[in-house]
Amino acid sequence: MSRLAGKVAIVAGAAFGIGRATAAIMAREGARVIVGDYDADAAGAAAEAIRSSGGDAHSIHFDATHEDSVRELIAKAKERYGRVDIMHNNVGGTEPGKDTDVVNLDTAAWERILRLTLHSAMYGCRHVIPVMLQGGGGAIVNTASMAGEVGDMGLTAYGAAKAGVINLTRYVATQYGRQNIRCNAVAPGLIGTERANEVVLPPVRKIFEEHNLVPRNGRPEDIGHVVAFLASDEAAFITGQTIVVDGGAFIHGPTLVDMRKLGLKI
Ligand SMILES: NC(=O)c1ccc[n+]([C@@H]2O[C@H](COP(=O)([O-])OP(=O)(O)OC[C@H]3O[C@@H](n4cnc5c(N)ncnc54)[C@H](O)[C@@H]3O)[C@@H](O)[C@H]2O)c1
């Protein structure tokens, strides 16, 4: 299919994981793709992999935590391909061990995590919008998380930052919709990226598998397909939304798994 034919997409944080899968899917859908990442070698390899399967991609080194660097990423993308139609703000993360409960969490880590996860998305939106307006509009997709929708015992900074991403999405959609810019978010549940598989131990992955309504854990492509759809003209009447992609893990009552273990179907 070529639902993104003629479009130029920036995927910010595209060397690994969800971003890498999204960049590959967008290229398959016909977009010219900028693979933006702070790991220059891995970004180069991701772009090369796209080119060797017949796509058009170019890697650009940048750091999502520095506003000037984000501005430069977008300017270089415009210089390379003449326009920017799609921006996927995908950089985000936490610091296991430091991002704990609110009383014990490390304040410096809180600030770094907000910068990496929330400021980065805001920088991506504010600097891509003027470039999109020059081309008549565009579509922004931010990567949120189910951690931004629910409470938990730890990851306080990450959860607060992702909740910020969800409402930033609504604000951007509200402010620029009339100028033909849509802004949506995708909220993944647990997705088995290499990085997630390193930090999320097998017993925890099993807990998610038990809570999912589909019989497996998530894969990076599960998110990439939704991002590509939201970025496409097929989603032209969708804006300000956060689409949950979690295999149903967060949709059912909290007692479901325990009831199932007891063989109860009520
Ligand atoms: N994997 C999951 O289970 C999961 C669940 C919910 C949300 N998410 C979110 O999805 C997004 C991608 O996560 P992932 O699991 O694919 O992670 P990942 O670590 O596999 O990929 C993140 C990418 O961002 C790049 N990156 C990190 N810091 C950067 C910076 N300062 N500047 C530029 N690039 C930078 C990394 O090099 C990497 O290529 C994140 O926002 C994450 O919070 C992931």
Side-chain angles (χ1 to χ4, degrees), residues 23-57:
I25 289 166
M26 285 191 180
R28 279 208 300 276
E29 293 287 351
R32 286 168 285 167
V33 178
I34 294 291
V35 174
D37 208 280
Y38 78 164
D39 186 331
D41 291 346
E48 178 53 37
I50 290 173
R51 288 194 296 272
S52 60
S53 5
D56 187 340

Side-chain angles (χ1 to χ4, degrees), residues 15-18 37-38 63-64 90 92 143-145 158 162 188-189 191 193:
F16 297 103
I18 290 170
D37 208 280
Y38 78 164
D63 182 348
N90 177 61
T143 303
S145 168
Y158 182 70
K162 289 297 192 183
I191 302 298
T193 58

Side-chain angles (χ1 to χ4, degrees), residues 12-20 36-39 42 62-65 89-94 116-117 143-147 158 162 186-196 200 220:
F16 297 103
I18 290 170
R20 183 172 174 139
D37 208 280
Y38 78 164
D39 186 331
F62 89 111
D63 182 348
T65 63
N89 293 310
N90 177 61
V91 174
T94 183
L116 181 72
T117 306
T143 303
S145 168
M146 284 314 292
Y158 182 70
K162 289 297 192 183
V186 62
L190 180 64
I191 302 298
T193 58
E194 285 165 33
R195 171 89 182 124
V200 182

Side-chain angles (χ1 to χ4, degrees), residues 6 18 23 35 47 50 74 82 87 99 105 116-117 132 135 137 147 166 195 197 201 224 227 235 238 257 261:
I18 290 170
V35 174
I50 290 173
I74 294 161
M87 178 86 192
D99 189 6
L105 72 78
L116 181 72
T117 306
M132 286 180 167
I166 290 168
R195 171 89 182 124
N197 287 340
L201 299 175
V227 175
I238 302 176
V257 170
K261 281 181 185 155

Side-chain angles (χ1 to χ4, degrees), residues 80-133:
R80 170 95 193 177
Y81 287 129
R83 55 186 299 114
V84 178
D85 304 284
I86 295 165
M87 178 86 192
H88 181 203
N89 293 310
N90 177 61
V91 174
T94 183
E95 297 183 24
K98 290 188 176 160
D99 189 6
T100 60
D101 69 276
V102 71
V103 170
N104 294 299
L105 72 78
D106 180 305
T107 305
W110 164 273
E111 284 170 9
R112 285 193 300 271
I113 292 161
L114 259 75
R115 182 162 288 281
L116 181 72
T117 306
L118 179 56
H119 293 48
S120 63
M122 184 272 284
Y123 298 152
C125 293
R126 81 189 307 178
H127 292 296
V128 84
I129 286 169
V131 174
M132 286 180 167
L133 289 176

